[in-house]
Amino acid sequence: MAEQQEKRKRVFSAVKPTGNPTLGNYLGPMQHWGGMSDEYDCLFAVADLHALTVAIEPKELKENSLRLFALLVAVGVDPEKAIVFVQSHVPAHSELGWILNNYTMFGEARRMTQFKEKSEKAPENVNVGLFDYPVLMAADILLYKADIVPVGDDQIQHVELCRNIAERFNGRFGNTFTVPEWQTPKSGARIYSLSEPTAKMGKSDGDASGSVFILDPPETIMKKFKRAVTDSEMRVKASEDKPGITNLLNIYAAATKTTVEQAEREFCACDYATFKTRVGEAAVEVLRPVREKYESLRRDDGALASLMNAGAERAKRLAARTMEKVRKRVGLLPL
Ligand code: TRP
C-alpha cells in the first residue's frame, strides 16, 4: 500500500558541458550515479545554461552537450530509472532562477570562492551570469525538491548557498522547498592534474598532458600516466609534501575501489615507473566500458535525441508542480 511505502529520497546533480569530462569527473561523483537509482529517485542534468557563463563557441556547446548526455548514460545512469535531461530543455530552471535572485543577497553571492577564482582567471569576461551561477544552481536543485546533491568538493559552498536561499524562502512564504544536503564521494572527491598535481585535473583541452579524459584511447591514457610528475624520493606513500604520488594513490584507490592505505601497501616495494604503469592500467580498465558504451550510443544520435526528449518531458512535469506553488506563494498571478 502506498502509505506503507517509505518515500524514497530524491537526488539531483548536474555537470556543465564545458571542456572534456575527465577521469577526475568520473572517479569523483559520476561513477556513483548509475548505482544511486537503486536507492533514490534520481535526476541528472546537462547544465548547458551554466556553460554559457564562460566564453564558449555555439558549435562546441552543442557537441559538448550531446557528448555529455551520452556520457551520463554511458557511466551507467539508466534513463528508464533516472531522469536524465538537458537543463535548457526545461525552461522552469531559468524562471525559478530569476525568482530566487530576489531572495538571494548580493553579499552572500559575492562570497562564493568559485566566482572569485573564475573572475581572476578570465578578467575580460566577468559577466552577471557568472555571478548568478549559484542561484541558477539553487533553482536546479530546489525545482525538484532534491534531498541529496552529490557533488565534487568544489561545489559544497554552492549547495550551502542553496540551503540558505531555501530556508529564507520557506521562512518568508511558508514551507515550499526541501532544504537539500550535499554529499561528496568518499574516494576521488578531488583528483589533481598529472602534470601539476597541486591543480585540479582540468576539463579544458589546454591541460591535455595533465588531464586524462574519459574518452581518451588506452594508449593516450598510458602515455599520460607514464609522464606523470612524481618527486625525487623513491617512496610510494601519501603525504602532503608528495602531491604527485598522493594523487596517483588516490586515483588508484578510487579506480580499483580500495583505500589509499591498501594501495600504499601494495606498492611499497615498487619503483615509480612500475607504480605509474599500474595506476595507468587501472585507469584504462575503469574507463574502458564507459568509452565502449559511449561509442555505441553515439552511433545513433537520433535515438539519443529521443532519450533526451523523454527525460525533459518527465522533468518538466515535476518542475511544473513546484513552479505553480512558487508562483502562488510570491504573489504572481496564476497561469
Ligand atoms: N556547478 C556544478 C559543477 O560545476 C554543476 C551544476 C549545475 C550542479 N547545477 C547543479 C551540480 C545542481 C549540482 C546541482 O560541477
Side-chain angles (χ1 to χ4, degrees):
M1 249 191 281
E3 289 88 4
Q4 280 169 348
Q5 225 169 42
E6 215 183 305
K7 198 173 171 295
R8 299 213 319 166
K9 288 201 169 174
R10 192 170 282 167
V11 162
F12 181 94
S13 198
V15 197
K16 273 196 312 281
T18 50
N20 200 345
T22 67
L23 175 67
N25 298 124
Y26 180 69
L27 294 180
M30 274 166 99
Q31 91 168 307
H32 306 286
W33 289 2
M36 289 188 107
S37 294
D38 297 334
E39 205 178 326
Y40 306 108
D41 287 336
C42 296
L43 294 108
F44 297 111
V46 172
D48 56 346
L49 295 171
H50 278 108
L52 296 175
T53 61
V54 297
I56 185 165
E57 286 304 318
K59 232 175 77 192
E60 196 188 333
L61 177 56
K62 223 168 138 183
E63 171 55 26
N64 286 359
S65 298
L66 198 59
R67 178 175 63 193
L68 185 56
F69 182 85
L71 261 176
L72 288 177
V73 180
V75 301
V77 176
D78 179 349
E80 296 283 319
K81 293 187 189 154
I83 300 182
V84 201
F85 68 105
V86 175
Q87 183 189 31
S88 69
H89 288 174
V90 183
H93 289 253
S94 307
E95 196 181 351
L96 183 60
W98 173 257
I99 293 177
L100 295 180
N101 277 332
N102 305 287
Y103 310 100
T104 308
M105 296 304 117
F106 189 82
E108 62 186 345
R110 194 172 43 191
R111 283 198 291 276
M112 296 296 110
T113 53
Q114 197 163 76
F115 172 69
K116 292 182 209 164
E117 278 166 21
K118 287 187 175 173
S119 305
E120 275 162 32
K121 249 172 87 183
E124 74 295 343
N125 190 25
V126 184
N127 62 74
V128 177
L130 193 65
F131 187 71
D132 204 24
Y133 181 114
V135 184
L136 178 60
M137 191 168 148
D140 297 343
I141 298 165
L142 299 180
L143 202 46
Y144 302 103
K145 301 191 161 61
D147 301 285
I148 301 169
V149 185
V151 284
D153 59 3
D154 60 327
Q155 297 298 314
I156 292 174
Q157 198 186 28
H158 290 163
V159 183
E160 290 289 344
L161 177 66
C162 171
R163 289 169 57 88
N164 291 344
I165 298 171
E167 279 166 359
R168 182 175 297 123
F169 192 100
N170 288 348
R172 165 123 192 244
F173 298 108
N175 204 5
T176 310
F177 296 125
T178 301
V179 181
E181 317 238 331
W182 49 264
Q183 191 184 77
T184 54
K186 281 177 211 65
S187 64
R190 191 172 271 224
I191 299 294
Y192 294 90
S193 160
L194 297 185
S195 56
E196 202 188 316
T198 50
K200 191 178 164 181
M201 185 178 275
K203 286 204 281 186
S204 72
D205 292 301
D207 309 317
S209 70
S211 294
V212 173
F213 301 113
I214 296 180
L215 298 172
D216 272 347
E219 316 80 72
T220 310
I221 298 178
M222 290 309 295
K223 213 185 291 161
K224 287 176 180 174
F225 274 97
K226 284 182 181 156
R227 288 200 199 125
V229 166
T230 53
D231 52 51
S232 55
E233 295 188 335
M234 266 276 282
R235 217 157 42 93
V236 180
K237 184 125 190 67
S239 91
E240 236 169 87
D241 58 338
K242 293 165 74 68
I245 294 296
T246 306
N247 188 39
L248 290 168
L249 280 165
N250 275 326
I251 292 172
Y252 187 81
T256 60
K257 299 201 161 55
T258 53
T259 61
V260 167
E261 294 72 33
Q262 260 173 301
E264 281 174 342
R265 256 174 269 134
E266 196 174 330
F267 295 110
C268 65
C270 258
D271 59 69
Y272 282 177
T274 313
F275 172 55
K276 289 198 278 188
T277 303
R278 293 279 302 282
V279 182
E281 286 164 357
V284 166
E285 286 321 310
V286 81
L287 294 178
R288 186 191 305 281
V290 178
R291 183 173 37 84
E292 287 174 357
K293 177 89 197 278
Y294 172 86
E295 281 163 2
S296 86
L297 284 163
R298 285 305 302 268
R299 272 180 224 124
D300 189 352
D301 281 355
L304 218 47
S306 19
L307 280 182
M308 231 180 238
N309 276 332
E313 286 311 314
R314 289 168 70 195
K316 267 187 203 165
R317 253 174 283 160
L318 293 176
R321 275 189 241 155
T322 308
M323 284 314 299
E324 198 187 316
K325 202 167 183 188
V326 168
R327 274 194 208 101
K328 209 182 282 172
R329 289 269 153 109
V330 301
L332 297 172
L333 292 172
L335 279 177

